[in-house]
Amino acid sequence: MGNSRAYPVLRTTDAAEAFRQAKRLCGLLEHVDDQVWLFSELPTVRDVRRIAALAPGLPFDYADARTDPATGEYLLFDLDVTALDDAALAGHLPLTFSEDVDRERVEDGILAALGDGMAAIDWHGRWPDDPEIDSHGHWNYDGVQVVFHGDEAQYGDRWTEDHTVFVHVTKYGDPERARKLAAHIGGEVLGEAQLGW
């Protein structure tokens, strides 16, 4: 099956602008899934509480692998963050969150929920066929992504001040479609295609 190719089409220090332009690109998709993939690094209790409000009942994970000192077995974070007080929750930080979440909930609340950690929203869908450039939509690969505090479609380990918007296309790449999509938001393709989802 393979991975999509992700083209960066906007980079800005303004999270609201990155989100706004990503939503404009989503408007060009022929179809958008009802759920988005939400990823977030959560270094503070406040960050965890905000994401938990967007995604009630969904699981969190330890950001770094932890092992039981007695057995050496890997530990999973299987606690309900809403049942822990702030002091108890702080002892488990940092956490991460990566789950499918109702698109409307995320779109309505993500800007208020963002903290200082890296975060990303992936809108999966399908680009319409574009006979003018002989480009066809692909259900498995197409979509839009915004990475807050990052410049890599697969999130990476490098935190940045910038927020990056990507368009995802077929695993073979489609630079002409990427250029047209970038132009729609007054941007341009900002480098080579990256490995996507």
Side-chain angles (χ1 to χ4, degrees), residues 55-128:
L58 293 176
F60 290 75
D61 296 306
Y62 288 115
D64 302 308
R66 297 188 184 186
T67 56
D68 184 305
T71 66
E73 292 182 22
Y74 285 101
L75 298 174
L76 299 176
F77 182 81
D78 58 0
L79 302 173
D80 177 357
V81 296
T82 61
L84 298 174
D85 65 28
D86 288 356
L89 183 54
H92 293 283
L93 298 177
L95 296 175
T96 61
F97 179 88
S98 54
E99 292 287 333
D100 282 317
V101 181
D102 178 70
R103 184 176 88 209
E104 196 171 301
R105 285 185 77 93
V106 172
E107 290 175 352
D108 289 347
I110 190 61
L111 290 175
L114 287 176
D116 290 329
M118 192 180 299
I121 306 170
D122 301 353
W123 290 268
H124 293 258
R126 184 181 184 278
W127 299 115

Side-chain angles (χ1 to χ4, degrees), residues 38-75:
L38 176 61
F39 166 81
S40 188
E41 293 178 342
L42 306 163
T44 71
V45 168
R46 184 173 138 194
D47 294 338
V48 173
R49 299 274 186 236
R50 288 177 173 178
I51 294 298
L54 277 184
L58 293 176
F60 290 75
D61 296 306
Y62 288 115
D64 302 308
R66 297 188 184 186
T67 56
D68 184 305
T71 66
E73 292 182 22
Y74 285 101
L75 298 174

Side-chain angles (χ1 to χ4, degrees), residues 3-56:
N3 292 79
S4 65
R5 291 296 173 262
Y7 292 87
V9 295
L10 176 74
R11 196 165 284 126
T12 177
T13 56
D14 184 341
E17 175 66 4
F19 180 75
R20 187 177 75 79
Q21 296 297 358
K23 288 288 296 155
R24 284 185 65 204
L25 289 166
C26 285
L28 299 177
L29 287 162
E30 182 176 82
H31 168 82
V32 184
D33 291 348
D34 291 335
Q35 292 194 315
V36 296
W37 184 259
L38 176 61
F39 166 81
S40 188
E41 293 178 342
L42 306 163
T44 71
V45 168
R46 184 173 138 194
D47 294 338
V48 173
R49 299 274 186 236
R50 288 177 173 178
I51 294 298
L54 277 184

Side-chain angles (χ1 to χ4, degrees), residues 123-156:
W123 290 268
H124 293 258
R126 184 181 184 278
W127 299 115
D129 292 340
D130 187 343
E132 181 180 298
I133 58 172
D134 193 30
S135 181
H136 302 280
H138 296 273
W139 288 104
N140 294 334
Y141 305 109
D142 295 350
V144 178
Q145 176 186 46
V146 60
V147 179
F148 299 100
H149 294 299
D151 58 9
E152 296 177 25
Q154 292 202 351
Y155 316 137

